[in-house]
Amino acid sequence: MKLITPHIITEGGTKYKLGTLKGNEILYDFDQILIYLEAKGKLLFGAHFKIHKSDRAIIYKLCNYQIRDWATCKKLDIDLRKGILLSGPVGCGKTSLMKLIRHITPHYTPYDVIPTRNITFAFNHIGYRIIKQYGDHSFYCFDDLGIEPIGRHFGKDCNVLGEVLLSRHELFLKYRLKTHGTTNLNAHELEDRYGSRVRSRMRELFNLVAFDNGSRDKRS
């Protein structure tokens, strides 16, 4: 069902106006989006959640990507045809942001955030069907790429997420189907984990959005 007012989101009886509606176009207000994101974050993750000033530049990129602001994304060197790979140190808030950002566009089909270790554990149990399952036409964000264990089914090892990413790349080429991800690893570490072939495909699949290496652990 098409939302009549997709720029106004109600949470817990409170209305949050993220911008103004002009014809079929929403003119978003970043400051209003931040107010909503902090409120939604508290509902999702607890009262301790807050938007840190140091993260505003990252959030600005993610928001403009999510609302599909072509002009701003071009200035930010973000290709809207690709997915997002959000990288950064442990605990900087990557997973929370990817779970949160999707809520500002309730009129778009959301992506599911799936821990990569869960995919590997499922492969160990049911085998290669799991690779086919995630190589479908659904939207996914693969959380913590590169730290999942090697899969093993009936004594045979498999780099499960590497195979899944190859399948997602084929879908990207054929249908422009987007895939997102988060990772603690840098480009060299990802190549060591998945190999040069998958790393090359990842460059085509993803826009890299990165926290500073010095970003603090917000869970501490």
Side-chain angles (χ1 to χ4, degrees):
M1 183 175 67
K2 184 177 180 180
L3 293 174
I4 299 174
T5 55
H7 63 303
I8 301 174
I9 302 176
T10 302
E11 297 285 357
T14 301
K15 291 183 182 294
Y16 296 91
K17 188 176 181 181
L18 307 189
T20 56
L21 199 60
K22 186 177 180 181
N24 293 323
E25 181 182 8
I26 302 173
L27 305 178
Y28 284 95
D29 183 318
F30 183 58
D31 289 329
Q32 294 302 312
I33 291 176
L34 288 178
I35 292 171
Y36 168 71
L37 288 177
E38 184 150 303
K40 183 65 175 178
K42 290 182 185 301
L43 291 173
L44 290 175
F45 311 120
H48 64 280
F49 179 86
K50 66 177 292 185
I51 298 292
H52 295 268
K53 188 175 181 180
S54 59
D55 294 341
R56 284 177 62 114
I58 290 284
I59 296 171
Y60 182 72
K61 290 180 180 180
L62 294 176
C63 285
N64 278 286
Y65 175 88
Q66 187 65 27
I67 65 177
R68 302 179 187 174
D69 186 327
W70 285 89
T72 302
C73 283
K74 186 175 182 180
K75 292 177 184 176
L76 295 169
D77 197 27
I78 293 174
D79 187 343
L80 283 173
R81 296 169 298 180
K82 298 182 180 182
I84 291 288
L85 180 62
L86 185 59
S87 72
V90 172
C92 67
K94 301 181 298 295
T95 303
S96 295
L97 283 181
M98 291 305 289
K99 287 181 176 179
L100 186 58
I101 291 295
R102 56 188 174 173
H103 291 283
I104 66 176
T105 52
H107 50 303
Y108 293 157
T109 303
Y111 50 84
D112 292 323
V113 179
I114 311 291
T116 54
R117 66 181 183 278
N118 290 5
I119 299 174
T120 299
F121 294 155
F123 173 87
N124 294 345
H125 180 61
I126 66 174
Y128 288 87
R129 281 188 294 138
I130 201 69
I131 295 173
K132 185 176 180 180
Q133 177 181 326
Y134 287 103
D136 64 7
H137 286 254
S138 298
F139 296 96
Y140 298 112
C141 174
F142 298 124
D143 189 35
D144 276 337
L145 277 166
I147 68 166
E148 74 282 352
I150 289 291
R152 190 171 181 83
H153 185 67
F154 283 110
K156 187 174 181 180
D157 289 346
C158 178
N159 193 328
V160 179
L161 264 296
E163 294 298 324
V164 169
L165 288 171
L166 289 174
S167 295
R168 300 297 298 182
H169 180 259
E170 290 178 9
L171 290 170
F172 171 72
L173 294 180
K174 288 181 180 178
Y175 308 108
R176 287 298 174 186
L177 189 70
K178 295 179 184 177
T179 303
H180 305 305
T182 73
T183 187
N184 301 331
L185 306 185
N186 61 36
H188 294 297
E189 291 169 328
L190 286 169
E191 185 163 332
D192 287 343
R193 182 66 178 80
Y194 295 122
S196 58
R197 180 175 174 227
V198 174
R199 176 61 187 141
S200 175
R201 304 302 190 274
M202 290 176 75
R203 291 190 186 96
E204 293 185 67
L205 273 175
F206 298 121
N207 295 283
L208 179 62
V209 178
F211 282 88
D212 290 334
N213 288 332
S215 296
R216 73 180 184 86
D217 188 340
K218 299 178 179 68
R219 295 180 293 194
S220 61

